[in-house]
Amino acid sequence: MTEIAEGVASCEAALTDLTRDVFLGGGLQILQPRHGYRAATDPVFLAASVPASPGETVLELGCGVGVALLALGRRVEGLHLTGVERQSGYADLARRNAQINGIAAEIHAEDLADLPLPLKRGFDHVLVNPPFYPAHAPVPQHPERAAGRHEETPLALWIDVALKRLAPGGHLTLIHLADRLPEILALIGARAGATAVRPLAARGGRPAGRILLQARKGARGKFRLLAPLIIHEGAQHIDDRDDFTPEAQQVLRYGAALDWQ
């Protein structure tokens, strides 16, 4: 058994030890494993980047415990939300979290590499928060986190499936490491355009560690590189308190949408 496969088994075993965590300033109550992959700010920023309108269809590939999908559902009412998560324990938690928060969402325990026929349709939005690190990168100290952080499914397949599941003119929204942006743009190629990228920097004056990306299937608009979103105020963390910038706080505490202009 590989280290990543061992991590998957460990994650499944750990799903009986849960925490109940607050997102969106209490707007979401989320059950997630105490150990293993745990959602933090990335899925909230991802949800804030999706330009969805009531009545539209949304698919999240690799939805985990459902934070991004449910944060989007909290911000925009009347969406038809669908999540796909290959780890059945996490998929079950996503269903429970949808029920806890009173948000309708259809969660499928499936591998994105082999989606069932009912999911092979066009969606208005596909959002993706893939594992950040290639499979050959060092495995975390806690192997159970590997399945959520290391690519067992190649990034090329994530992007290919996402684009195939978009309806013409639909939006792909993705969060990833900044240093993988050239690879991501190459993988998207000419299949989507009007691409916009919003760098995420932990503090002012620091390089961006992550990027948010939007692209429309079949569009031919210009590429736009937006000003970075600075997440924390000050040059360094001083004490145990909330030091988010006003823009980041609007997203993380109040569920606001990110400005893409």
Side-chain angles (χ1 to χ4, degrees):
M1 182 181 289
T2 67
E3 288 180 296
I4 291 178
E6 289 172 356
V8 171
S10 179
C11 280
E12 298 291 351
L15 289 175
T16 56
D17 186 10
L18 305 176
T19 62
R20 191 181 187 106
D21 300 302
V22 171
F23 291 81
L24 304 183
L28 282 181
Q29 304 285 328
I30 297 293
L31 297 176
Q32 57 181 339
R34 188 179 304 277
H35 307 288
Y37 177 77
R38 289 175 56 80
T41 59
D42 283 353
V44 182
F45 284 126
L46 178 63
S49 303
V50 180
S53 299
E56 291 184 328
T57 56
V58 178
L59 172 67
E60 183 179 8
L61 300 176
C63 69
V65 298
V67 176
L69 200 65
L70 298 178
L72 177 58
R74 181 64 77 220
R75 176 167 65 84
V76 183
E77 295 184 355
L79 295 174
H80 302 281
L81 302 173
T82 302
V84 172
E85 172 54 52
R86 75 172 184 174
Q87 296 187 69
S88 59
Y90 279 82
D92 181 61
L93 282 176
R95 294 187 195 99
R96 292 172 63 186
N97 286 329
Q99 293 173 351
I100 288 168
N101 290 281
I103 299 173
E106 182 181 321
I107 308 297
H108 297 261
E110 301 285 352
D111 192 326
L112 66 88
D114 188 26
L115 292 179
L117 188 60
L119 293 181
K120 291 183 177 180
R121 63 184 192 269
F123 291 82
D124 297 309
H125 301 274
V126 176
L127 53 153
V128 187
N129 180 8
F132 283 167
Y133 303 104
H136 58 74
V139 174
Q141 181 178 0
H142 300 286
E144 63 271 14
R145 296 180 184 172
R149 299 183 63 182
H150 281 61
E151 289 177 6
E152 190 168 355
T153 300
L155 180 58
L157 186 56
W158 284 86
I159 291 176
D160 186 59
V161 172
L163 290 170
K164 286 179 177 177
R165 297 284 60 82
L166 278 172
H171 285 84
L172 168 67
T173 307
L174 175 147
I175 188 168
H176 217 295
L177 296 177
D179 63 9
R180 300 194 72 180
L181 177 58
E183 179 185 1
I184 292 166
L185 293 174
L187 290 169
I188 293 173
R191 293 180 289 175
T195 302
V197 172
R198 186 84 187 265
L200 298 177
R203 297 185 185 276
R206 294 189 187 180
R210 307 228 194 307
I211 57 93
L212 289 159
L213 178 145
Q214 275 186 11
R216 287 183 60 210
K217 185 173 181 176
R220 294 292 179 265
K222 292 182 179 179
F223 175 86
R224 295 185 300 133
L225 181 61
L226 281 65
L229 169 64
I230 309 301
I231 299 174
H232 299 282
E233 293 184 316
Q236 60 185 2
H237 188 67
I238 298 175
D239 54 32
D240 189 18
R241 62 182 175 85
D242 187 334
D243 64 353
F244 293 120
T245 61
E247 186 176 11
Q249 190 171 78
Q250 285 297 310
V251 171
L252 298 173
R253 294 286 179 260
Y254 305 109
L258 273 176
D259 182 8
W260 282 81
Q261 300 306 314

